[in-house]
Structure formats: C-alpha cells, structure tokens
Amino acid sequence: MTGGEATRRDGTAPEDERVPEDERAPEVDQAPEDEQPPEDEQPPEDEQAPPEPGGLRALAALLRPRVSPGQLIGGLLCLLLGFAVAAQVGSTERDTTFATARQDELVGILGDLGQRSERLRGDLRDLEETKARLERDAEGGTALEEARERATTYGLLAGTLPAEGPGIELRIDDPGRGVKALNLLDAMEELRDAGAEVIQVGDVRVGVDTHFLDDRDGILVDGRLLTAPYRFLAIGDPHTMTTALTIPGGLVRTLEGAGARVLISRRAKVTVGAVRSP
C-alpha cells in the first residue's frame, strides 16, 4: 500500500495507527493574541499587590542575636584563652631576652649575679654570727641571773645581806628577869619552823650558828649582850608565824608563865638591816 493510501481522504489516520486518548498531550487553551488585554488597560505598578513580607521576617529572625548559657560559657572560655595566650607571649618574650643577648652582655649579667650572690653569702654569715653572739649573751645572762639569785639566797640564809618583806615583830618584856637564854632559843626555833626566812634579835642577825647564853646582866647572843625588852624581827608569812607562836602550850604561854609580857605585831613590811660578817 502506497503512502497515499495510508491516509484517508478525510485526513484521519487509520484506527490501528491512532494514539490512545490517555497518551495524548493535553490541549492548552490559549487566548488568541487579539483577546489579550491591551497594555494601557493593565493596573499601575502602585496598585499591584505588595510583595509577601514573609521573607523579610524570616531574614530578621535569623539575624536577631540569641544568647544562650552555652554561648556565654564559650565566650568566657575564649576570653580566658586570650589572656593565657597573651601571658604566654609575654613570658616567651622575656625568656628570649637572654637568648638574643650578646656574649658580652651575658658575661656582664653573670658577673653581676655572682657579686650579688657573694654579698648575700656575706650577709648570711654576719647574721649567723650575730645570732650565735646573741645566744651566747642570752645564755650568759641567764646564767648570771641565776648566779645572782643564788648569791642572794645564800646571803639571806647566811645573814650577810639586808632584807625586807612582810612579817612580824615579837616583843618580850621581862620585868621579873625570868626569861632565860633557852626561852629565846625556843622563840628562834619556833619562828624558823613557821617559815621565817630572815630573823633578827635586837641588833644581831641570826645565822645558822647563832647561839644564846645566859649572863648575869642579860642574855648573850653570838657574844653580844642583850637586855629586856627582847625584840625579834622575822620576815615570812605573818599569819603562819603568829599561829605557831600562840598555839596552846606554845612559846607565848611558856613566856607568860615565866612572868614575861609578849606582844606580837603583824607588819606588811619588816626591814632587817643587821648583817653578819662573811
């Protein structure tokens, strides 16, 4: 069959060569050019619909700063890191000072350091010597003070130094001459037993070897004649010594039995001026 026969006279293709309806391209209705509105009839630009503002709002929302705790912490860490870097840079610059110095400069620096070290060693030696001297002086002063205290104690016990302090005065009147040397010895022993540190009888300082003897004119104390009234000065605790002398059957009772009159006076300050020859 020729090409002219393949097409019907009415311009249609045979049925077996037609395209199915569901595969055909859709027809687009286009208005003819003569039906388009003329340009002068279109609305002006200012009357056209405004652009959708959704895009600007989205852009502004993206550009708006948002600060969160994580961002603050990150910023603080960056700040600290910056300080650390700056400090490290300064330290590196200082450390490179000697690395970039000339040989003569390094020699001068070493010489200056050596002189300073020698001066410091000398100061240290001086301080150590001063410390040792002060320690010796302190030890010597302490020993000297102890020696002085011992000398004072021994001088008081031996009766070679005057003394003063709280104590009592014991006065014994003997109008009937009934008081004997033994009575005065008992008085001295009672005072010592009561804690008397220093004792004076008349103008005689009592010592470790003091003795009493009867004499027709009075009583001899260490070879000195004493006459009534007999006067004792004793340094110690006034209450204790007074109690020891006035106990029932004690010294006061014995002296009163011999016809003597006894007077005990407590004093805040008793001065013992008599001393013994060394």
Side-chain angles (χ1 to χ4, degrees), residues 34-225:
D34 55 355
E35 293 182 4
Q36 297 289 336
E39 292 181 359
D40 55 354
E41 293 182 4
Q42 294 181 358
E45 294 181 358
D46 54 353
E47 293 181 2
Q48 293 179 359
E52 182 65 28
L56 294 178
R57 285 199 299 268
L59 181 60
L62 291 176
L63 295 178
R64 185 181 300 115
R66 298 179 181 179
V67 180
S68 63
Q71 292 175 342
L72 290 177
I73 295 175
L76 181 59
L77 292 177
C78 292
L79 182 61
L80 293 177
L81 180 61
F83 280 124
V85 171
Q88 183 65 29
V89 170
S91 176
T92 303
E93 292 178 355
R94 289 193 298 270
D95 293 339
T96 57
T97 301
F98 295 106
T100 58
R102 297 191 305 273
Q103 183 176 1
D104 56 347
E105 293 177 349
L106 293 176
V107 171
I109 293 173
L110 290 175
D112 184 55
L113 291 176
Q115 293 177 359
R116 291 183 182 180
S117 177
E118 185 62 29
R119 286 197 300 269
L120 291 175
R121 281 194 291 268
D123 294 340
L124 180 59
R125 288 192 297 269
D126 294 339
L127 291 175
E128 289 178 348
E129 293 176 357
T130 303
K131 177 184 176 183
R133 184 172 63 255
L134 291 175
E135 290 178 349
R136 289 193 300 269
D137 293 343
E139 292 176 356
T142 303
L144 180 60
E145 186 65 23
E146 291 179 356
R148 288 175 178 173
E149 292 179 357
R150 291 180 181 179
T152 301
T153 302
Y154 295 153
L156 294 175
L157 294 175
T160 59
L161 294 176
E164 63 180 21
I168 64 170
E169 178 184 0
L170 172 63
R171 181 186 175 92
I172 304 172
D173 291 324
D174 185 21
R177 298 178 62 89
V179 177
K180 303 300 180 180
L182 182 59
N183 299 124
L184 297 186
L185 179 61
D186 290 341
M188 183 186 70
E189 295 295 337
E190 288 289 346
L191 291 172
R192 282 179 173 174
D193 293 341
E197 299 173 0
V198 178
I199 302 173
Q200 177 178 328
V201 182
D203 58 355
V204 178
R205 178 71 171 268
V206 174
V208 294
D209 57 349
T210 297
H211 57 279
F212 298 84
L213 295 174
D214 290 321
D215 187 80
R216 62 181 181 178
D217 297 325
I219 299 175
L220 294 175
V221 180
D222 291 341
R224 294 185 184 182
L225 180 63

